[in-house]
Amino acid sequence: MPISRVGLVVHGGRPQAVAGAHTVRDWCARHGIGCVDIDVWQDGASRRHAREEMRAAGGPDLIVTLGGDGTFLRGARIAAQNDALVLGVDVGRVGFLTETPVTEVARALEAIHSGRSECEERMMLMMRSSRLLEIPLGMEETLCYGRGPALPPPQPRPEGDTSEEDSWGIRLDVNALNDVVVEKLARDRQVGVGVYIAGRLLASYSADGVILATPTGSTAYSFAAGGPVLSPRMRALVFTPVAPHMAFNRTVIANLDEPIAVRVLPHSGRAAVSVDGQSRGILEPGDWLGVAAAPRPLRLVRLTPADFYGRLRERMRLTDAPATAVDGEVAPVFRPSGPLPEELHGLRLPPAP
């Protein structure tokens, strides 16, 4: 698709990202395309809601992020507001979301502009809560230490019901690409929560926290907490408890149409809520929040078909396994050079070597 306007989200602390941003601006100038920096803050300055960021940027149809996965997530929260495409330019170390090398950014823009790129869809989460989330006065510095200023509290969706008495809760104007996390505030006190899947109580947990993730987020915090790796092409919700004090400590994977809700129990202390790693508010005992699949996925730009398992192998250093030397690079059964058998048609397979 022809690009009409580009929004830049740059990790200013990485020289490669800053240099790559100059390349993007130069390319846009040569093609007469508007380019604006978004989600930028200075020390001590406040940040804006994603909807405000998108409006101030003039509604770009392509968001280019230069950095690691954290920078990509910053761009994703803005792109979700108007279904913009996202191009993740990689200058990170262990990320799964950014795949385009910074040296290829100009070629990537040319490919997108001329319609020679591919679009990969990733499921996102939407949220409802029993009340509006906010970070109490005086707690921002503690919750956001080392991360810069906090994002403003999530607002109700413009078309949503803001009544706190509504049993369906308040639909918040926020989406998550990776995860929504509810976790303890005090080091010496776990959080007590009831977890509901598809409207039915699964269990009550006393834990350091609980993670509600997408398949994309299965390689993030959920993975570190012992959860499984899911293909990002899946459509499912992943629930993973963090250090629970109970025998049942396993991840539960819910279907796309099965929402997951968390209620803070009366005997629990307050719980912190973060969305894609950003602190967004506090839950008091009795409060609840729920997540479900968002109506629209995030649209990622790819120059070549995504190779998630190759990236998993690379990022997790699985190439060091002894079997690698024996097996080599050619997969058995599903990557021969001969004609594809009829019963295998429709499977997602790599191209023949």
Side-chain angles (χ1 to χ4, degrees), residues 181-184 189-193 195 205-212 221 225 239-244 262 271-272:
V181 179
V182 178
E183 56 192 334
K184 66 180 185 180
R189 185 174 186 180
Q190 292 193 311
V191 65
V193 296
V195 176
Y205 291 82
S206 179
D208 283 359
V210 294
I211 305 166
L212 314 175
Y221 189 10
F239 162 70
T240 301
V242 183
V262 175

Side-chain angles (χ1 to χ4, degrees), residues 5 36-39 48-60:
R5 189 168 181 82
V36 61
D37 286 72
I38 57 179
D39 195 43
R48 295 184 292 197
H49 296 285
R51 194 173 294 275
E52 294 173 345
E53 291 278 9
M54 179 59 78
R55 188 181 302 116

Side-chain angles (χ1 to χ4, degrees), residues 55-89:
R55 188 181 302 116
D61 52 355
L62 174 67
I63 305 292
V64 179
T65 73
L66 295 108
D69 280 1
T71 307
F72 185 93
L73 291 170
R74 286 167 51 196
R77 79 180 184 92
I78 298 166
Q81 293 296 325
N82 73 338
D83 202 27
L85 290 170
V86 186
L87 172 66
V89 180

Side-chain angles (χ1 to χ4, degrees), residues 228-277:
V229 174
L230 274 66
S231 165
R233 300 181 67 244
M234 289 184 65
R235 299 293 183 265
L237 281 74
V238 184
F239 162 70
T240 301
V242 183
H245 274 207
M246 61 188 299
F248 185 72
N249 61 355
R250 303 304 177 93
T251 292
V252 176
I253 300 173
N255 195 43
L256 178 70
D257 59 356
E258 297 176 324
I260 303 179
V262 175
R263 186 192 302 276
V264 181
L265 300 177
H267 66 268
S268 173
R270 293 190 292 181
V273 178
S274 62
V275 180
D276 281 346

Side-chain angles (χ1 to χ4, degrees), residues 141-154:
E141 185 175 352
T142 300
L143 291 176
C144 303
Y145 181 78
R147 300 180 182 178
L151 288 166

Side-chain angles (χ1 to χ4, degrees), residues 37-318:
D37 286 72
I38 57 179
D39 195 43
V40 178
W41 72 89
Q42 304 296 328
D43 291 340
S46 61
R47 301 176 70 182
R48 295 184 292 197
H49 296 285
R51 194 173 294 275
E52 294 173 345
E53 291 278 9
M54 179 59 78
R55 188 181 302 116
D61 52 355
L62 174 67
I63 305 292
V64 179
T65 73
L66 295 108
D69 280 1
T71 307
F72 185 93
L73 291 170
R74 286 167 51 196
R77 79 180 184 92
I78 298 166
Q81 293 296 325
N82 73 338
D83 202 27
L85 290 170
V86 186
L87 172 66
V89 180
D90 185 19
V91 295
R93 302 179 187 87
V94 294
F96 281 87
L97 298 171
T98 54
E99 292 190 0
T100 302
V102 68
T103 55
E104 297 289 317
V105 64
R107 186 173 74 88
L109 292 170
E110 290 286 356
I112 298 167
H113 196 50
S114 60
R116 291 182 287 108
S117 62
E118 298 191 5
C119 178
E120 177 187 351
E121 295 186 344
R122 294 288 183 94
M123 170 187 158
M124 300 190 79
L125 299 177
M126 61 180 179
M127 294 175 56
R128 284 182 176 266
S129 64
S130 54
R131 63 178 178 84
L132 290 174
L133 297 177
E134 61 180 354
I135 297 177
L137 190 65
M139 293 190 65
E140 178 178 332
E141 185 175 352
T142 300
L143 291 176
C144 303
Y145 181 78
R147 300 180 182 178
L151 288 166
Q155 297 297 300
R157 291 278 298 187
E159 69 277 15
D161 188 342
T162 60
S163 169
E164 295 186 20
E165 287 72 35
D166 186 355
S167 61
W168 291 103
I170 301 169
R171 184 180 175 188
L172 301 177
D173 193 17
V174 62
N175 294 103
L177 177 62
N178 266 356
D179 50 43
V180 177
V181 179
V182 178
E183 56 192 334
K184 66 180 185 180
L185 273 175
R187 182 176 180 273
D188 60 347
R189 185 174 186 180
Q190 292 193 311
V191 65
V193 296
V195 176
Y196 300 77
I197 300 181
R200 294 290 184 266
L201 177 67
L202 173 68
S204 296
Y205 291 82
S206 179
D208 283 359
V210 294
I211 305 166
L212 314 175
T214 64
T216 295
S218 71
T219 54
Y221 189 10
S222 178
F223 177 81
V229 174
L230 274 66
S231 165
R233 300 181 67 244
M234 289 184 65
R235 299 293 183 265
L237 281 74
V238 184
F239 162 70
T240 301
V242 183
H245 274 207
M246 61 188 299
F248 185 72
N249 61 355
R250 303 304 177 93
T251 292
V252 176
I253 300 173
N255 195 43
L256 178 70
D257 59 356
E258 297 176 324
I260 303 179
V262 175
R263 186 192 302 276
V264 181
L265 300 177
H267 66 268
S268 173
R270 293 190 292 181
V273 178
S274 62
V275 180
D276 281 346
Q278 297 278 337
S279 296
R280 302 307 300 267
I282 300 295
L283 294 178
E284 302 284 349
D287 290 340
W288 61 263
L289 68 79
V291 304
R296 294 186 303 185
L298 185 72
R299 300 190 301 146
L300 281 63
V301 177
R302 300 295 192 207
L303 298 187
T304 57
D307 182 15
F308 171 72
Y309 299 105
R311 197 160 186 82
L312 179 69
R313 191 163 164 257
E314 171 195 337
R315 294 306 198 191
M316 298 300 177
R317 301 185 183 277
L318 304 182

